Amino acid sequence: MRLIIRQSGKAWVLRYQLAGERKEIGLGPYSRYGLKEARSRADVQRALIREGIDPLEQKAKALRLAEAARIAREKSLGNTFRTCALDYIEAHPRAGKMPSMPNSGRTP
């Protein structure tokens, strides 16, 4: 575990090697997590590594599941921007259109 200092800020990072591949996983920003909390977060990641689980893959899988759940929740509510926009267009068919002008008798 180490502290990385960049222009964007300081962050705790854990380096690990799994299946011959070297990787790094962020443990959180220095401003939010002190050394004690960063060590406990690193211990959790190390336990996963000992079991042969890649923490980065697990994190990516959790993000994909959360995104799928969010999309399913939006679909079940039915209040997406698209459905609201279509409902509005149906309710206001002439909105934004010029009214019909009678022919004034002039020819172009």
Side-chain angles (χ1 to χ4, degrees):
M1 182 182 79
R2 61 189 183 137
L3 181 65
I4 302 268
I5 301 172
R6 297 186 179 135
Q7 286 182 336
S8 59
K10 301 174 186 177
W12 296 107
V13 175
L14 175 67
R15 270 191 179 175
Y16 66 97
Q17 187 171 342
L18 192 64
E21 190 175 346
R22 191 172 207 147
K23 298 181 181 184
E24 289 185 349
I25 185 167
L27 300 172
Y30 174 75
S31 60
R32 186 177 299 164
Y33 303 108
L35 179 60
K36 185 177 180 180
E37 179 67 22
R39 283 181 176 164
S40 68
R41 292 171 66 93
D43 289 341
V44 170
Q45 302 303 323
R46 286 185 187 115
L48 291 172
I49 294 165
R50 277 192 296 273
E51 294 176 16
I53 300 170
D54 188 350
L56 284 175
E57 288 179 13
Q58 185 183 27
K59 184 177 180 181
K61 183 179 178 182
L63 289 174
R64 283 192 305 270
L65 289 174
E67 180 66 13
R70 184 189 65 79
I71 291 170
R73 187 173 54 251
E74 276 185 7
K75 284 184 180 181
S76 70
L77 292 175
N79 286 335
T80 63
F81 178 81
R82 185 182 194 312
T83 57
C84 291
L86 291 174
D87 289 344
Y88 179 84
I89 290 169
E90 286 178 21
H92 302 88
R94 300 280 309 159
K97 294 184 179 179
M98 301 248 333
S100 298
M101 299 292 288
N103 189 357
S104 62
R106 292 189 199 168
T107 58

XYZ file of all heavy atoms in Angstrom:
852
model
N 0.851 -1.162 0.000
C 0.000 0.000 0.000
C 0.897 1.226 0.000
O 1.921 1.256 0.667
C -0.881 -0.005 1.248
C -1.831 1.153 1.271
S -2.842 1.195 2.740
C -1.694 1.894 3.890
N 0.469 2.233 -0.775
C 1.262 3.450 -0.805
C 0.359 4.647 -1.048
O -0.789 4.512 -1.483
C 2.342 3.354 -1.859
C 1.833 3.184 -3.253
C 2.959 2.883 -4.207
N 2.453 2.796 -5.561
C 3.039 3.314 -6.600
N 4.177 3.951 -6.456
N 2.523 3.201 -7.788
N 0.911 5.803 -0.793
C 0.216 7.059 -1.011
C 0.744 7.671 -2.305
O 1.941 7.891 -2.447
C 0.455 8.007 0.169
C -0.226 9.369 0.095
C -1.728 9.211 0.128
C 0.232 10.245 1.259
N -0.149 7.939 -3.236
C 0.219 8.545 -4.513
C -0.120 10.027 -4.436
O -1.228 10.390 -4.037
C -0.585 7.912 -5.678
C -0.366 6.428 -5.758
C -0.294 8.614 -6.979
C 0.738 5.996 -6.661
N 0.827 10.871 -4.839
C 0.594 12.316 -4.844
C 0.636 12.796 -6.288
O 1.645 12.665 -6.975
C 1.650 13.038 -3.989
C 1.590 12.519 -2.554
C 1.436 14.543 -4.041
C 2.703 13.008 -1.670
N -0.492 13.340 -6.728
C -0.621 13.865 -8.086
C -1.145 15.287 -8.012
O -1.524 15.766 -6.938
C -1.583 13.008 -8.898
C -1.098 11.598 -9.087
C -2.012 10.830 -10.030
N -1.500 9.487 -10.208
C -2.238 8.403 -10.170
N -3.523 8.484 -9.969
N -1.688 7.222 -10.347
N -1.217 15.950 -9.146
C -1.767 17.307 -9.170
C -3.229 17.312 -8.740
O -3.691 18.275 -8.133
C -1.644 17.910 -10.568
C -0.230 18.308 -10.914
C -0.157 18.953 -12.290
O -1.012 18.727 -13.136
N 0.880 19.743 -12.492
N -3.943 16.256 -9.049
C -5.363 16.187 -8.703
C -5.591 15.895 -7.218
O -6.698 16.042 -6.727
C -6.056 15.128 -9.550
O -5.451 13.868 -9.347
N -4.563 15.455 -6.514
C -4.684 15.187 -5.084
C -3.921 13.947 -4.671
O -3.226 13.319 -5.464
N -4.066 13.604 -3.403
C -3.390 12.433 -2.845
C -4.392 11.286 -2.728
O -5.561 11.499 -2.423
C -2.852 12.757 -1.459
C -1.866 13.905 -1.441
C -1.487 14.249 -0.014
C -0.615 15.481 0.040
N -0.298 15.857 1.424
N -3.910 10.066 -2.974
C -4.787 8.897 -2.906
C -4.011 7.681 -2.441
O -2.820 7.538 -2.726
C -5.410 8.631 -4.272
N -4.697 6.803 -1.723
C -4.131 5.534 -1.286
C -4.304 4.519 -2.407
O -5.368 4.414 -3.003
C -4.829 5.033 -0.036
C -4.658 5.920 1.150
C -5.591 6.734 1.699
C -3.472 6.068 1.929
N -5.067 7.385 2.777
C -3.759 7.003 2.944
C -2.196 5.522 1.874
C -2.837 7.391 3.888
C -1.270 5.912 2.816
C -1.583 6.828 3.811
N -3.236 3.758 -2.685
C -3.252 2.761 -3.756
C -2.627 1.471 -3.238
O -1.633 1.498 -2.517
C -2.470 3.276 -4.986
C -2.360 2.209 -6.055
C -3.124 4.516 -5.551
N -3.214 0.352 -3.610
C -2.678 -0.959 -3.256
C -2.188 -1.626 -4.527
O -2.946 -1.782 -5.492
C -3.747 -1.827 -2.602
C -3.343 -3.265 -2.291
C -2.272 -3.297 -1.212
C -4.556 -4.079 -1.876
N -0.922 -2.002 -4.543
C -0.361 -2.778 -5.656
C -0.492 -4.250 -5.320
O -0.235 -4.658 -4.193
C 1.120 -2.465 -5.818
C 1.406 -1.348 -6.714
C 2.881 -1.329 -6.993
N 3.173 -0.249 -7.906
C 4.368 0.090 -8.276
N 5.418 -0.557 -7.813
N 4.552 1.077 -9.103
N -0.857 -5.031 -6.319
C -0.942 -6.470 -6.108
C -0.643 -7.183 -7.416
O -0.640 -6.589 -8.491
C -2.317 -6.876 -5.565
C -3.462 -6.656 -6.516
C -3.938 -7.698 -7.295
C -4.088 -5.420 -6.616
C -4.997 -7.511 -8.160
C -5.146 -5.220 -7.470
C -5.593 -6.264 -8.239
O -6.641 -6.074 -9.099
N -0.380 -8.478 -7.292
C -0.109 -9.308 -8.456
C -0.998 -10.533 -8.364
O -1.047 -11.206 -7.332
C 1.363 -9.716 -8.483
C 1.754 -10.437 -9.749
C 3.262 -10.627 -9.851
O 4.028 -9.960 -9.163
N 3.681 -11.541 -10.686
N -1.706 -10.797 -9.449
C -2.611 -11.933 -9.492
C -2.473 -12.591 -10.857
O -2.573 -11.921 -11.879
C -4.053 -11.468 -9.254
C -5.093 -12.540 -8.999
C -4.782 -13.289 -7.700
C -6.472 -11.921 -8.891
N -2.213 -13.884 -10.865
C -2.031 -14.652 -12.099
C -0.913 -14.060 -12.952
O -1.029 -13.966 -14.169
C -3.333 -14.726 -12.881
N 0.157 -13.631 -12.308
C 1.315 -13.103 -13.017
C 1.143 -11.701 -13.567
O 2.031 -11.189 -14.233
N 0.017 -11.069 -13.288
C -0.246 -9.727 -13.800
C -0.248 -8.726 -12.643
O -0.936 -8.918 -11.647
C -1.597 -9.708 -14.513
C -1.848 -8.441 -15.278
C -3.145 -8.519 -16.065
O -3.705 -9.619 -16.230
O -3.583 -7.453 -16.521
N 0.525 -7.676 -12.783
C 0.634 -6.656 -11.748
C -0.434 -5.588 -11.961
O -0.614 -5.088 -13.069
C 2.010 -6.023 -11.807
C 2.312 -5.170 -10.646
C 3.751 -4.732 -10.677
N 4.136 -4.486 -9.316
C 5.314 -4.671 -8.818
N 6.272 -5.126 -9.588
N 5.571 -4.413 -7.573
N -1.148 -5.254 -10.882
C -2.249 -4.290 -10.964
C -2.226 -3.362 -9.757
O -1.554 -3.631 -8.766
C -3.591 -5.011 -11.019
C -3.757 -5.900 -12.217
C -5.111 -6.561 -12.210
C -5.276 -7.474 -13.405
N -6.619 -8.049 -13.457
N -2.988 -2.282 -9.865
C -3.167 -1.343 -8.753
C -4.651 -1.073 -8.592
O -5.378 -0.959 -9.570
C -2.455 -0.018 -9.042
C -0.963 -0.090 -8.997
C -0.323 1.282 -9.160
O -1.019 2.255 -9.514
O 0.887 1.376 -8.933
N -5.081 -0.936 -7.343
C -6.463 -0.578 -7.061
C -6.460 0.587 -6.080
O -5.680 0.612 -5.121
C -7.278 -1.770 -6.511
C -8.747 -1.374 -6.362
C -6.714 -2.294 -5.217
C -9.678 -2.535 -6.133
N -7.304 1.556 -6.360
C -7.422 2.711 -5.477
C -8.191 2.359 -4.219
O -9.201 1.648 -4.262
N -7.711 2.864 -3.101
C -8.374 2.615 -1.820
C -9.144 3.836 -1.336
O -9.869 3.756 -0.354
C -7.341 2.208 -0.764
C -6.542 0.954 -1.085
C -5.431 0.765 -0.066
C -7.446 -0.261 -1.126
N -8.968 4.944 -2.020
C -9.697 6.156 -1.656
C -8.778 7.347 -1.498
O -7.558 7.207 -1.423
N -9.366 8.532 -1.451
C -8.564 9.747 -1.325
C -7.989 9.918 0.082
O -8.604 9.526 1.078
C -9.556 10.863 -1.642
C -10.892 10.289 -1.367
C -10.785 8.815 -1.625
N -6.819 10.512 0.142
C -6.133 10.766 1.407
C -6.964 11.684 2.301
O -6.981 11.523 3.520
C -4.769 11.391 1.103
C -4.000 11.828 2.319
C -3.380 10.905 3.137
C -3.883 13.173 2.639
C -2.666 11.293 4.247
C -3.167 13.586 3.753
C -2.560 12.639 4.552
O -1.861 13.039 5.652
N -7.654 12.634 1.687
C -8.442 13.585 2.475
C -9.613 12.915 3.191
O -10.071 13.408 4.217
C -8.959 14.709 1.572
O -9.776 14.177 0.554
N -10.088 11.800 2.677
C -11.225 11.120 3.285
C -10.809 9.982 4.209
O -11.478 9.701 5.206
C -12.133 10.563 2.188
C -13.413 9.977 2.777
C -14.374 9.487 1.739
N -14.772 10.581 0.878
C -15.354 10.415 -0.300
N -15.573 9.209 -0.765
N -15.696 11.449 -1.023
N -9.720 9.289 3.891
C -9.298 8.124 4.663
C -7.903 8.339 5.230
O -6.958 8.579 4.490
C -9.302 6.853 3.789
C -10.634 6.574 3.165
C -10.842 6.760 1.804
C -11.696 6.121 3.933
C -12.072 6.512 1.230
C -12.922 5.871 3.363
C -13.113 6.069 2.015
O -14.329 5.825 1.451
N -7.787 8.205 6.521
C -6.481 8.268 7.163
C -5.742 6.949 6.992
O -6.236 6.005 6.368
N -4.551 6.878 7.563
C -3.720 5.689 7.417
C -4.399 4.447 7.984
O -4.397 3.384 7.357
C -2.364 5.909 8.097
C -1.394 4.751 8.058
C -1.068 4.390 6.612
C -0.129 5.092 8.827
N -5.019 4.563 9.147
C -5.662 3.409 9.779
C -6.798 2.859 8.911
O -6.887 1.643 8.672
C -6.205 3.818 11.149
C -6.787 2.692 11.947
C -7.222 3.171 13.320
C -7.807 2.041 14.124
N -8.229 2.493 15.453
N -7.642 3.748 8.386
C -8.748 3.311 7.537
C -8.232 2.750 6.207
O -8.751 1.748 5.707
C -9.706 4.481 7.274
C -10.877 4.136 6.394
C -11.872 3.153 7.004
O -11.927 3.020 8.244
O -12.577 2.499 6.236
N -7.206 3.356 5.650
C -6.636 2.859 4.386
C -6.059 1.459 4.579
O -6.199 0.596 3.706
C -5.562 3.812 3.885
N -5.416 1.229 5.717
C -4.871 -0.113 5.990
C -5.978 -1.150 6.104
O -5.839 -2.276 5.614
C -4.035 -0.090 7.263
C -2.686 0.521 7.067
C -1.889 0.499 8.342
N -0.544 1.016 8.108
C 0.263 1.400 9.074
N -0.113 1.326 10.339
N 1.458 1.861 8.780
N -7.072 -0.796 6.764
C -8.170 -1.766 6.890
C -8.816 -2.032 5.529
O -9.190 -3.166 5.225
C -9.202 -1.294 7.908
O -9.888 -0.165 7.437
N -8.921 -1.010 4.686
C -9.452 -1.213 3.332
C -8.509 -2.097 2.515
O -8.949 -2.936 1.737
C -9.677 0.131 2.646
C -10.812 0.937 3.301
C -10.882 2.360 2.769
N -11.256 2.423 1.378
C -12.500 2.560 0.925
N -13.495 2.648 1.777
N -12.741 2.623 -0.364
N -7.200 -1.909 2.689
C -6.212 -2.742 1.996
C -6.295 -4.187 2.474
O -6.150 -5.120 1.678
C -4.808 -2.185 2.212
N -6.535 -4.391 3.770
C -6.665 -5.749 4.309
C -7.838 -6.490 3.667
O -7.746 -7.689 3.379
C -6.832 -5.717 5.825
C -5.555 -5.314 6.541
O -4.469 -5.412 5.924
O -5.641 -4.883 7.712
N -8.937 -5.780 3.442
C -10.101 -6.390 2.792
C -9.733 -6.828 1.373
O -10.070 -7.945 0.944
C -11.291 -5.398 2.770
C -12.415 -5.918 1.895
C -11.780 -5.117 4.176
N -9.021 -5.968 0.651
C -8.616 -6.304 -0.719
C -7.626 -7.468 -0.733
O -7.694 -8.340 -1.595
C -8.017 -5.086 -1.420
C -8.935 -3.883 -1.489
C -10.257 -4.159 -2.155
O -10.339 -4.919 -3.111
N -11.318 -3.559 -1.630
N -6.704 -7.476 0.225
C -5.729 -8.575 0.301
C -6.402 -9.910 0.567
O -5.983 -10.958 0.056
C -4.701 -8.270 1.385
C -3.703 -7.208 0.987
C -2.641 -7.040 2.063
N -1.793 -5.910 1.759
C -1.708 -4.806 2.494
N -2.413 -4.694 3.608
N -0.911 -3.828 2.129
N -7.461 -9.896 1.379
C -8.203 -11.133 1.652
C -8.832 -11.677 0.364
O -8.817 -12.891 0.121
C -9.275 -10.877 2.705
N -9.357 -10.788 -0.459
C -9.919 -11.218 -1.738
C -8.837 -11.811 -2.637
O -9.042 -12.839 -3.288
C -10.588 -10.042 -2.459
C -11.870 -9.498 -1.849
C -12.299 -8.228 -2.565
C -12.968 -10.534 -1.909
N -7.679 -11.164 -2.661
C -6.570 -11.630 -3.493
C -6.115 -13.022 -3.052
O -5.833 -13.889 -3.875
C -5.409 -10.615 -3.461
C -5.865 -9.302 -4.124
C -4.171 -11.157 -4.139
C -4.969 -8.124 -3.839
N -6.048 -13.242 -1.732
C -5.651 -14.559 -1.214
C -6.629 -15.646 -1.660
O -6.251 -16.799 -1.844
C -5.566 -14.530 0.311
C -4.254 -13.990 0.836
C -4.096 -14.254 2.316
N -5.091 -13.565 3.126
C -4.968 -12.309 3.586
N -3.896 -11.616 3.310
N -5.909 -11.769 4.313
N -7.896 -15.278 -1.836
C -8.903 -16.243 -2.291
C -8.894 -16.401 -3.810
O -9.673 -17.179 -4.358
C -10.289 -15.798 -1.837
C -10.471 -15.828 -0.344
C -11.821 -15.279 0.090
O -12.727 -15.166 -0.772
O -11.969 -14.960 1.269
N -8.034 -15.662 -4.492
C -7.942 -15.752 -5.946
C -8.929 -14.869 -6.689
O -9.119 -15.016 -7.890
N -9.545 -13.948 -5.972
C -10.514 -13.031 -6.581
C -9.804 -11.720 -6.904
O -9.129 -11.146 -6.054
C -11.694 -12.768 -5.622
C -12.402 -14.078 -5.299
C -12.657 -11.751 -6.209
C -13.421 -13.969 -4.186
N -9.971 -11.247 -8.135
C -9.375 -9.977 -8.543
C -10.276 -8.834 -8.072
O -11.424 -8.724 -8.505
C -9.224 -9.928 -10.066
C -8.444 -8.721 -10.531
O -8.171 -7.821 -9.717
O -8.100 -8.677 -11.726
N -9.787 -7.975 -7.184
C -10.624 -6.884 -6.675
C -11.101 -5.924 -7.762
O -12.219 -5.414 -7.683
C -9.716 -6.150 -5.688
C -8.603 -7.058 -5.391
C -8.480 -7.989 -6.542
N -10.277 -5.682 -8.775
C -10.697 -4.792 -9.857
C -11.852 -5.392 -10.654
O -12.795 -4.690 -11.014
C -9.521 -4.488 -10.786
C -8.493 -3.495 -10.260
C -7.322 -3.385 -11.220
C -9.114 -2.144 -10.021
N -11.779 -6.678 -10.932
C -12.865 -7.341 -11.658
C -14.139 -7.366 -10.823
O -15.237 -7.178 -11.348
C -12.458 -8.753 -12.061
C -11.437 -8.799 -13.161
C -11.019 -10.207 -13.526
O -11.695 -11.168 -13.096
O -10.006 -10.352 -14.233
N -13.981 -7.594 -9.529
C -15.146 -7.607 -8.648
C -15.793 -6.222 -8.594
O -17.014 -6.093 -8.633
C -14.751 -8.060 -7.243
C -15.947 -8.194 -6.325
C -15.555 -8.565 -4.921
O -14.460 -8.270 -4.480
N -16.464 -9.206 -4.222
N -14.971 -5.182 -8.544
C -15.475 -3.813 -8.515
C -16.211 -3.487 -9.816
O -17.300 -2.902 -9.797
C -14.312 -2.844 -8.315
C -14.700 -1.407 -8.166
C -13.460 -0.565 -7.909
C -13.782 0.897 -7.752
N -12.579 1.711 -7.529
N -15.636 -3.890 -10.962
C -16.269 -3.648 -12.254
C -17.598 -4.397 -12.352
O -18.589 -3.860 -12.873
C -15.336 -4.064 -13.384
N -17.633 -5.618 -11.846
C -18.864 -6.401 -11.871
C -19.943 -5.743 -11.017
O -21.105 -5.660 -11.413
C -18.589 -7.821 -11.367
C -19.773 -8.741 -11.421
C -19.406 -10.132 -10.939
C -20.607 -11.055 -10.948
N -20.273 -12.384 -10.453
N -19.564 -5.239 -9.851
C -20.517 -4.557 -8.972
C -21.065 -3.299 -9.638
O -22.267 -3.001 -9.529
C -19.850 -4.214 -7.646
N -20.214 -2.562 -10.349
C -20.670 -1.362 -11.053
C -21.633 -1.714 -12.179
O -22.637 -1.024 -12.387
C -19.476 -0.584 -11.600
C -18.609 0.127 -10.565
C -17.378 0.735 -11.225
C -19.401 1.200 -9.836
N -21.339 -2.797 -12.915
C -22.240 -3.228 -13.982
C -23.597 -3.643 -13.421
O -24.643 -3.319 -13.988
C -21.623 -4.382 -14.768
C -20.535 -3.959 -15.740
C -20.157 -5.086 -16.693
N -19.767 -6.324 -16.037
C -18.525 -6.635 -15.681
N -17.539 -5.817 -15.920
N -18.277 -7.793 -15.082
N -23.596 -4.365 -12.297
C -24.854 -4.782 -11.677
C -25.650 -3.583 -11.186
O -26.877 -3.542 -11.321
C -24.583 -5.757 -10.531
C -24.106 -7.148 -10.929
C -23.732 -7.954 -9.689
C -25.173 -7.872 -11.728
N -24.970 -2.601 -10.615
C -25.648 -1.397 -10.129
C -26.263 -0.622 -11.291
O -27.392 -0.115 -11.188
C -24.679 -0.518 -9.356
N -25.550 -0.533 -12.404
C -26.068 0.161 -13.582
C -27.275 -0.577 -14.154
O -28.270 0.043 -14.536
C -24.971 0.303 -14.642
C -25.399 1.008 -15.893
C -25.756 2.458 -15.703
O -25.449 3.040 -14.648
O -26.368 3.036 -16.629
N -27.201 -1.895 -14.206
C -28.332 -2.685 -14.696
C -29.551 -2.507 -13.791
O -30.686 -2.397 -14.276
C -27.952 -4.156 -14.796
N -29.331 -2.462 -12.489
C -30.431 -2.254 -11.548
C -31.044 -0.867 -11.722
O -32.270 -0.701 -11.663
C -29.938 -2.439 -10.115
N -30.207 0.134 -11.976
C -30.700 1.495 -12.177
C -31.562 1.571 -13.434
O -32.638 2.158 -13.431
C -29.532 2.478 -12.285
C -29.972 3.940 -12.405
C -28.813 4.847 -12.737
N -28.236 4.591 -14.031
C -28.760 5.014 -15.198
N -29.872 5.691 -15.213
N -28.143 4.742 -16.335
N -31.104 0.928 -14.512
C -31.857 0.931 -15.765
C -33.179 0.200 -15.589
O -34.227 0.665 -16.060
C -31.009 0.324 -16.901
C -29.854 1.271 -17.249
C -31.857 0.030 -18.128
C -28.824 0.672 -18.182
N -33.157 -0.931 -14.894
C -34.386 -1.682 -14.652
C -35.364 -0.861 -13.813
O -36.578 -0.881 -14.078
C -34.072 -2.999 -13.959
N -34.840 -0.145 -12.839
C -35.689 0.690 -11.988
C -36.328 1.812 -12.814
O -37.509 2.097 -12.678
C -34.864 1.265 -10.836
C -35.659 2.000 -9.796
C -34.835 2.406 -8.576
N -33.653 3.173 -8.921
C -32.399 2.731 -8.829
N -32.165 1.509 -8.400
N -31.379 3.501 -9.150
N -35.543 2.434 -13.705
C -36.090 3.479 -14.570
C -37.170 2.936 -15.485
O -38.198 3.578 -15.691
C -34.982 4.103 -15.417
C -34.222 5.186 -14.729
C -33.214 5.845 -15.653
O -33.208 5.543 -16.869
O -32.435 6.662 -15.160
N -36.933 1.755 -16.048
C -37.920 1.164 -16.946
C -39.195 0.818 -16.201
O -40.297 0.963 -16.734
C -37.349 -0.070 -17.636
C -36.381 0.268 -18.737
C -35.917 -0.976 -19.451
C -34.947 -0.613 -20.569
N -34.495 -1.799 -21.297
N -39.064 0.346 -14.960
C -40.257 -0.015 -14.199
C -41.060 1.226 -13.817
O -42.275 1.170 -13.739
C -39.875 -0.808 -12.946
O -39.224 0.030 -12.010
N -40.376 2.350 -13.612
C -41.087 3.583 -13.295
C -41.753 4.156 -14.536
O -42.820 4.752 -14.451
C -40.121 4.622 -12.708
C -39.549 4.301 -11.331
C -38.525 5.345 -10.932
C -40.655 4.219 -10.303
N -41.124 3.982 -15.674
C -41.708 4.456 -16.919
C -41.565 5.951 -17.124
O -42.086 6.497 -18.076
N -40.914 6.656 -16.238
C -40.769 8.094 -16.365
C -39.387 8.466 -16.883
O -38.660 9.223 -16.267
C -41.010 8.788 -15.026
C -42.463 8.814 -14.653
O -43.311 8.753 -15.523
N -42.767 8.909 -13.391
N -39.061 7.952 -18.021
C -37.806 8.357 -18.628
C -38.058 9.647 -19.401
O -39.199 10.031 -19.657
C -37.269 7.274 -19.586
O -38.210 7.113 -20.649
C -37.061 5.952 -18.871
N -37.014 10.322 -19.768
C -37.161 11.563 -20.522
C -37.915 11.310 -21.823
O -38.770 12.090 -22.217
C -35.788 12.175 -20.814
C -35.876 13.432 -21.624
C -36.179 14.626 -21.012
C -35.676 13.405 -22.994
C -36.295 15.787 -21.749
C -35.780 14.561 -23.742
C -36.084 15.762 -23.121
N -37.613 10.189 -22.452
C -38.257 9.874 -23.732
C -39.757 9.742 -23.578
O -40.527 10.309 -24.368
C -37.655 8.579 -24.293
C -38.132 8.197 -25.670
C -37.492 6.861 -26.069
N -37.532 6.434 -27.417
C -38.564 6.407 -28.240
N -39.699 6.852 -27.867
N -38.467 5.949 -29.468
N -40.206 9.009 -22.563
C -41.649 8.828 -22.388
C -42.322 10.142 -22.010
O -43.420 10.432 -22.487
C -41.961 7.757 -21.332
O -41.340 8.116 -20.105
C -41.494 6.385 -21.771
N -41.676 10.951 -21.192
C -42.242 12.249 -20.827
C -42.338 13.159 -22.053
O -43.337 13.858 -22.244
C -41.405 12.920 -19.745
S -41.505 12.105 -18.155
N -41.296 13.156 -22.886
C -41.295 13.992 -24.085
C -42.391 13.546 -25.050
O -43.113 14.383 -25.619
C -39.934 13.946 -24.759
N -42.540 12.253 -25.255
C -43.591 11.757 -26.154
C -44.981 12.090 -25.619
O -45.876 12.460 -26.389
C -43.440 10.252 -26.372
C -42.215 9.822 -27.189
C -42.094 8.305 -27.208
C -42.282 10.377 -28.597
N -45.184 11.981 -24.315
C -46.472 12.344 -23.726
C -46.768 13.824 -23.948
O -47.900 14.208 -24.263
C -46.483 12.030 -22.222
C -46.509 10.544 -21.936
O -46.822 9.757 -22.863
O -46.207 10.173 -20.784
N -45.760 14.664 -23.797
C -45.946 16.099 -23.993
C -46.299 16.400 -25.449
O -47.195 17.198 -25.732
C -44.685 16.863 -23.593
C -44.821 18.360 -23.789
C -45.412 19.145 -22.811
C -44.383 18.970 -24.954
C -45.565 20.505 -22.989
C -44.528 20.326 -25.149
C -45.119 21.099 -24.162
O -45.277 22.438 -24.351
N -45.590 15.769 -26.377
C -45.845 16.009 -27.804
C -47.261 15.579 -28.168
O -47.953 16.267 -28.928
C -44.792 15.283 -28.667
C -43.436 15.975 -28.501
C -45.206 15.239 -30.128
C -42.270 15.212 -29.092
N -47.725 14.479 -27.613
C -49.093 14.031 -27.881
C -50.112 15.007 -27.306
O -51.151 15.265 -27.914
C -49.319 12.642 -27.296
C -48.648 11.528 -28.066
C -48.855 10.175 -27.407
O -49.808 10.026 -26.613
O -48.059 9.264 -27.691
N -49.838 15.552 -26.134
C -50.768 16.469 -25.481
C -50.778 17.849 -26.139
O -51.763 18.572 -26.061
C -50.421 16.606 -24.006
N -49.700 18.238 -26.787
C -49.576 19.558 -27.413
C -49.164 19.402 -28.877
O -48.041 19.716 -29.252
C -48.538 20.401 -26.668
C -48.851 20.582 -25.227
N -48.431 19.679 -24.271
C -49.558 21.540 -24.587
C -48.861 20.103 -23.092
N -49.547 21.216 -23.258
N -50.080 18.968 -29.730
C -49.683 18.655 -31.105
C -49.279 19.866 -31.932
O -48.469 19.756 -32.831
C -50.927 17.985 -31.686
C -52.057 18.461 -30.862
C -51.483 18.692 -29.493
N -49.806 21.072 -31.664
C -49.503 22.232 -32.479
C -48.467 23.134 -31.824
O -48.163 24.210 -32.340
C -50.767 23.057 -32.746
C -51.862 22.316 -33.459
C -51.718 22.176 -34.927
N -51.450 23.429 -35.594
C -50.898 23.505 -36.775
N -50.571 22.419 -37.409
N -50.667 24.656 -37.346
N -47.945 22.781 -30.698
C -46.985 23.641 -30.003
C -45.753 23.852 -30.861
O -45.189 22.913 -31.405
C -46.592 23.018 -28.668
N -45.361 25.099 -31.017
C -44.157 25.424 -31.752
C -44.358 25.512 -33.250
O -43.421 25.765 -33.990
N -45.574 25.329 -33.710
C -45.839 25.409 -35.146
C -46.592 26.708 -35.440
O -47.352 27.201 -34.613
C -46.663 24.219 -35.626
C -45.919 22.908 -35.513
C -46.751 21.801 -36.083
C -45.993 20.494 -35.983
N -46.769 19.385 -36.511
N -46.371 27.228 -36.629
C -47.069 28.443 -37.040
C -48.526 28.092 -37.312
O -48.833 27.041 -37.875
C -46.432 29.016 -38.300
C -44.989 29.352 -38.138
S -44.553 31.070 -38.173
C -45.732 31.907 -39.122
N -49.438 28.993 -36.943
C -50.843 28.733 -37.264
C -51.046 28.795 -38.770
O -50.310 29.458 -39.482
C -51.581 29.839 -36.532
C -50.572 30.908 -36.313
C -49.243 30.227 -36.229
N -52.066 28.131 -39.218
C -52.366 28.145 -40.648
C -52.785 29.547 -41.054
O -53.577 30.201 -40.384
C -53.487 27.166 -40.975
O -53.088 25.865 -40.658
N -52.261 30.019 -42.182
C -52.581 31.349 -42.686
C -53.522 31.185 -43.882
O -53.222 30.412 -44.797
C -51.314 32.084 -43.125
C -50.301 32.292 -42.011
S -50.872 33.433 -40.769
C -50.782 34.963 -41.639
N -54.596 31.921 -43.880
C -55.479 31.834 -45.042
C -54.782 32.463 -46.248
O -53.960 33.354 -46.114
C -56.722 32.624 -44.633
C -56.261 33.540 -43.553
C -55.100 32.829 -42.872
N -55.151 32.014 -47.406
C -54.585 32.540 -48.644
C -55.081 33.964 -48.826
O -56.265 34.228 -48.859
C -54.994 31.657 -49.823
C -54.244 32.035 -51.081
O -53.461 32.992 -51.087
N -54.474 31.273 -52.125
N -54.183 34.928 -48.920
C -54.553 36.327 -49.027
C -54.879 36.744 -50.447
O -55.165 37.905 -50.700
C -53.453 37.215 -48.470
O -52.273 37.035 -49.227
N -54.836 35.857 -51.364
C -55.144 36.167 -52.733
C -53.940 36.548 -53.548
O -54.007 36.725 -54.738
N -52.820 36.705 -52.910
C -51.590 37.052 -53.640
C -50.978 35.788 -54.219
O -51.058 34.726 -53.632
C -50.569 37.688 -52.707
C -50.972 39.017 -52.215
C -49.802 39.617 -51.493
N -50.282 40.688 -50.617
C -49.553 41.249 -49.699
N -48.316 40.860 -49.498
N -50.035 42.213 -48.983
N -50.354 35.964 -55.316
C -49.619 34.851 -55.893
C -48.146 35.122 -55.744
O -47.722 36.274 -55.873
C -49.980 34.681 -57.384
O -49.686 35.881 -58.068
C -51.412 34.270 -57.566
N -47.390 34.132 -55.475
C -45.952 34.366 -55.296
C -45.237 34.776 -56.528
O -45.477 34.813 -57.588
C -45.422 33.045 -54.794
C -46.499 32.049 -54.938
C -47.751 32.767 -55.268
